[in-house]
Amino acid sequence: MGPLFLPLAVGCAVAIASALGVVVARRPVYAALFLLVHSLSLAALFGILSVAIVAVGQIVIYSGAIVVLFLFVVTLLPSGGRELAAGSGRILAACVAAGVVIVALAAGEAAASLPAPEPAPDAALGVAAVGHALFGSLLVAFELTAPLLLVAIVGAVVIWRRHEPTPRTAAPTRVSEPRRLVIHR
Amino acid sequence: MSSEALVLATSAALFAVGAAGALVHRHPVAMLMAIEIMLNAANLLIVLGARVRGGADAEGAALVVLVLAAAEAVIGLALALALFRRKPVPDVDAAAELRG
């Protein structure tokens, strides 16, 4: 048990509690705020594990972009985020599935013979090492994230425009109406 | 209990909580939030592996997973809003048809 055990335990407790809050919260605004707490606690865990660049990425991308995107969408909800009630059979099935997932993961963890972890030197996880990895062995994946984000943005616009109720072609006639009135006067 | 085992157990618990949430909810935005929790659990596991093994590759992979989560959130929320246009109180089970 190292000196980092207590901060790790606190971070893990906050992460699990806020994840439960996201799932249990009845209103989407509260769920989004719990998601913010969850994301920040994970960033703290990454920081404790001294993986600083992922911690910064978690804060900037997750807390800064994704959670704010969720909050924007929640404010756009027409019904204020009302939800049809989940049946008890549905809740029971979800609990059973979650239990199966936990048991399977624990069994896999017990079956895998984990070697004794050797503490990694901090230089191996520094920004320079990550940069070498991103532009070396992970180059294809890293470059493909750019078209992925572009396609995601274009896809979101296409999904939105396809269901647009009124075409935007009626505007010029509306403009010409008052001008005719002015001429008759 | 070692620190590694604690983080491993946390990751498994987070994944299970996210899976339960994705199964229980019928609101698309709530489902997406549960899926984000599952992604975070996987990312925590990747970072733990990077820490234990000292691999910078895994750290880069964790960053790529963050970008993937952003793209997934954009598309998922656009689909959710498209669903809200048809029904003010949506049910993801009701949207069972695709139309091109």
Side-chain angles (χ1 to χ4, degrees), chain A residues 15-164:
Chain A
I16 293 179
S18 52
L20 281 174
V22 171
V23 172
V24 172
R26 297 304 302 166
R27 305 181 72 177
V29 177
Y30 295 151
L33 291 180
F34 275 122
L35 189 64
L36 180 63
V37 175
H38 176 71
S39 158
L40 290 177
S41 68
L42 274 182
L45 280 181
F46 295 159
I48 294 169
L49 290 170
S50 68
V51 189
I53 189 167
V54 185
V56 172
Q58 177 86 17
I59 290 178
V60 171
I61 299 178
Y62 241 97
S63 315
I66 297 181
V67 176
V68 171
L69 188 65
F70 271 105
L71 278 175
F72 270 125
V73 170
V74 167
T75 58
L76 285 175
L77 297 184
S79 59
R82 260 189 310 138
E83 180 177 10
L84 298 172
S88 59
R90 202 178 171 98
I91 293 176
L92 185 68
C95 289
V96 168
V100 167
V101 165
I102 279 201
V103 168
L105 289 176
E109 180 187 335
S113 58
L114 285 175
E118 63 268 26
D122 281 346
L125 294 175
V127 177
V130 178
H132 275 295
L134 281 180
F135 288 98
S137 54
L138 290 174
L139 180 65
V140 177
F142 179 66
E143 293 293 334
L144 281 180
T145 55
L148 173 76
L149 285 175
L150 184 66
V151 167
I153 294 169
V154 174
V157 173
V158 167
I159 289 171
W160 183 247
R161 290 296 301 271
R162 183 187 294 168
H163 299 281
E164 212 157 66

Side-chain angles (χ1 to χ4, degrees), chain B:
Chain B
M1 192 179 197
S2 68
S3 304
E4 290 83 14
L6 175 71
V7 180
L8 260 181
T10 304
S11 172
L14 285 180
F15 193 87
V17 167
L23 288 174
V24 164
H25 281 293
R26 303 167 83 174
H27 197 286
V29 176
M31 276 184 77
L32 275 173
M33 288 189 200
I35 292 172
E36 297 287 341
I37 291 176
M38 292 164 78
L39 269 171
N40 271 332
N43 223 10
L44 183 60
L45 201 58
I46 292 176
V47 166
L48 178 70
R51 183 65 203 157
V52 169
R53 298 295 173 96
D57 283 4
E59 220 181 323
L63 285 175
V64 174
V65 170
L66 282 181
V67 178
L68 282 180
E72 173 253 336
V74 167
I75 289 293
L77 288 175
L79 281 174
L81 283 178
L83 206 61
F84 277 114
R85 280 191 163 168
R86 308 181 72 93
K87 274 186 176 182
V89 182
D91 181 8
V92 286
D93 293 340
E97 287 179 6
L98 279 178
R99 191 163 58 87

